[in-house]
Amino acid sequence: MTSLLFYSEIVFWISLCLIIHCYLVFPITLPFVSEFFKRKHKSFSGKFQPKVSILISAFNEEGIIEKKIQNLLELDYPKEKLEILIGDDGSIDRTAEIILKYKEQGIRLIQAEKNAGKAAMLNRLQKEAQGEILLFCDANTLFFPNVVRKIVAPFEDPKVGCSCGHLILSDYSGSILGQGESSYWDLESEIKRFEGVLDRLIGGNGALYAIRNELYTPLPTNKSVMDDFFITVKVLQKGFFSTFVSTAIGTEQTSKESIGEFRRKVRIGRANFNFLLSYLPLLNPFRPLLAYLFFSHKLLRWFTPHLGIFLILSNLVLILTKKPIYIGSFVFFTLLILIGALRLIPSAFYFLSMNTAILKGFFLSFLREKGGGWQREARTDDQANTVSIKGISFLICFILSLSVAVPNANALLTMDLSVGALTTAPKPDRANISLGGHLWLPIDQMIFIGAGGYYQEIDKTIFIPVTGSVWIRLPIGKQVLPLIIADYGYAVGSDHQFVWSAGLGIDIKNGDYSSLILMAGYQKLKKKDDYFYIRAGFLIEI
């Protein structure tokens, strides 16, 4: 038991310190680090005008593609030195037809017969490009007129291999995740700006970045990849610098709905973990500044949900010490999760949701994946086929709801937290404290599997059961549904032993994403008494 507490304390403090470093210490200290280690180079003359190829991979973008083309035709850059290549990746709408209208104005269409994915199309576009500099952007990103002049200026320095522009996100959706993404991106842009001072920008932004053509690394197409991060990181690994140009400005809209933003983050998380091993050379100790930036800015952020789980689990064990700091921290973390899950503070909800998405992406990265394909999210700047997009989205959700008994990549991670009391069976005498919760992965809307943990104090003896769990929500009723729950696991504590429990209850729906739960049941501790329990709490479908 002493060893368990000792190692739990180490895990607790390491996890806490790493999370604080990632989200607080690193952003606060980065301006000082950039000032101290900034790379000195000559000022740019402004006369450097290489041939630039703008590459856009598009799929079903009829609502925005014409506006994008008109925006590109207004760029303040010599026309003879500007090549615009738009790849239509098997769109089933009028995207290709609209692009062809501008053929006489120098817009080249590269058309794929079937949808193979953004990575495959970018590889194809790069082979067609004649420019010394490749400028990558999204179909929905609109440029300021001087963006090309600004973004190519750093390439006057032959040691610079990548240049990233400044994306300004706007949110007109009103969704909490859309607002959170816009605020998050403001902070992310500041971090990129200071990394740009160091000329060691960790990852470009797919909406607006440029590299030297000869430094392009073909994108893998066997599974999903974050093309902007992969391409720009390979430039750094080849020994070139990567910078940020705050005056090269593009604008973009967030996803229309919160669930769209969540799905996008899941895909980003999965893609990053898919090729994690190929990014680890950035931790090269012989390039300490680059290693520090990658570790602090990206690696810790990707593993924040894992660190959070270690933090909570070790905190549960450390409650056994009865030290006020661990009891207080557990209460604090529990309240923080509840505040986020109940959307009382939008930023807390965004943080919780995005880390849940990253965690889901991590687990999905271990599953076999079909290469190629697009999963486009509706945006607040879409102009055409709004009804069609909503209809398709509804159809997708309906199909997913029919997936029974097989975990699928679109299942939402949920959580529940409940409080209640235990009494001895069969003759209840007095109540004992019970506080517990689960993390669930729905197999469908009625069957959940997950892992749970509790804090139980029984006659001054503390137990921390950690269990595997099954939750079955019976399809009887609309707002009030009966449920069955079963747990089996091991209770650590001063008298550790196996534990199992089973119970019945009701799930009272409180909107689309939350429920009030009331449960009663039976718990068996192998080396102790039998107990009845009663609990009440919340279920949050994140």
Side-chain angles (χ1 to χ4, degrees), residues 118-360:
K118 185 177 183 180
M121 178 53 73
L122 288 179
N123 288 340
R124 185 174 172 183
L125 290 173
Q126 186 271 335
K127 291 178 181 179
E128 297 282 342
Q130 302 297 316
E132 177 186 345
I133 304 298
L134 303 179
L135 194 161
F136 299 86
C137 64
D138 292 334
N140 63 312
T141 306
L142 300 180
F143 291 160
F144 280 28
N146 64 352
V147 72
V148 178
R149 291 182 181 273
K150 295 292 184 180
I151 205 166
V152 301
F155 292 103
E156 190 172 352
D157 181 349
K159 294 182 180 179
V160 171
C162 176
S163 175
C164 182
H166 181 193
L167 176 66
I168 299 176
L169 274 183
S170 300
D171 175 66
Y172 301 127
S173 67
S175 71
I176 294 178
L177 290 190
Q179 296 170 18
E181 177 67 10
S182 182
S183 300
Y184 160 81
W185 192 251
D186 290 339
L187 173 62
E188 182 70 5
S189 295
E190 283 300 296
I191 292 175
K192 288 181 179 294
R193 182 166 70 88
F194 288 113
E195 288 180 344
V197 173
L198 297 165
D199 279 349
R200 291 169 176 84
L201 179 68
I202 308 298
N205 168 31
L208 177 54
Y209 73 100
I211 69 166
R212 296 185 186 276
N213 199 337
E214 70 268 19
L215 297 181
Y216 181 84
T217 300
L219 291 161
T221 56
N222 58 321
K223 50 186 176 180
S224 59
V225 59
M226 285 304 297
D227 53 276
D228 51 355
F229 190 80
F230 184 92
I231 290 171
T232 55
V233 160
K234 293 305 176 183
V235 170
L236 287 170
Q237 290 178 347
K238 291 173 182 178
F240 287 81
F241 290 109
S242 180
T243 193
F244 180 75
V245 184
S246 60
T247 55
I249 298 173
T251 62
E252 194 173 297
Q253 304 295 332
T254 60
S255 299
K256 275 191 172 182
E257 300 176 353
S258 289
I259 190 63
E261 201 62 50
F262 181 84
R263 285 194 296 256
R264 192 176 70 87
K265 287 292 184 181
V266 171
R267 292 198 300 274
I268 291 173
R270 181 177 193 173
N272 285 331
F273 285 113
N274 278 342
F275 296 94
L276 177 61
L277 293 180
S278 72
Y279 304 142
L280 294 184
L282 291 174
L283 295 175
N284 185 348
F286 295 104
R287 302 176 72 185
L289 185 56
L290 182 62
Y292 170 75
L293 294 174
F294 173 64
F295 177 76
S296 303
H297 184 187
K298 294 298 182 181
L299 201 59
L300 284 183
R301 194 176 290 180
W302 295 345
F303 283 97
T304 291
H306 308 72
L307 293 171
I309 292 172
F310 290 143
L311 183 68
I312 297 297
L313 293 179
S314 59
N315 199 169
L316 279 170
V317 176
L318 291 171
I319 290 177
L320 296 172
T321 65
K322 297 187 177 180
K323 292 181 180 180
I325 188 172
Y326 296 123
I327 295 175
S329 63
F330 180 75
V331 172
F332 173 77
F333 295 140
T334 302
L335 288 175
L336 198 62
I337 292 172
L338 280 175
I339 288 171
L342 295 175
R343 309 186 186 196
L344 300 178
I345 299 178
S347 57
F349 174 70
Y350 177 79
F351 182 82
L352 182 64
S353 299
M354 293 305 96
N355 278 285
T356 303
I358 291 171
L359 186 63
K360 183 176 179 180

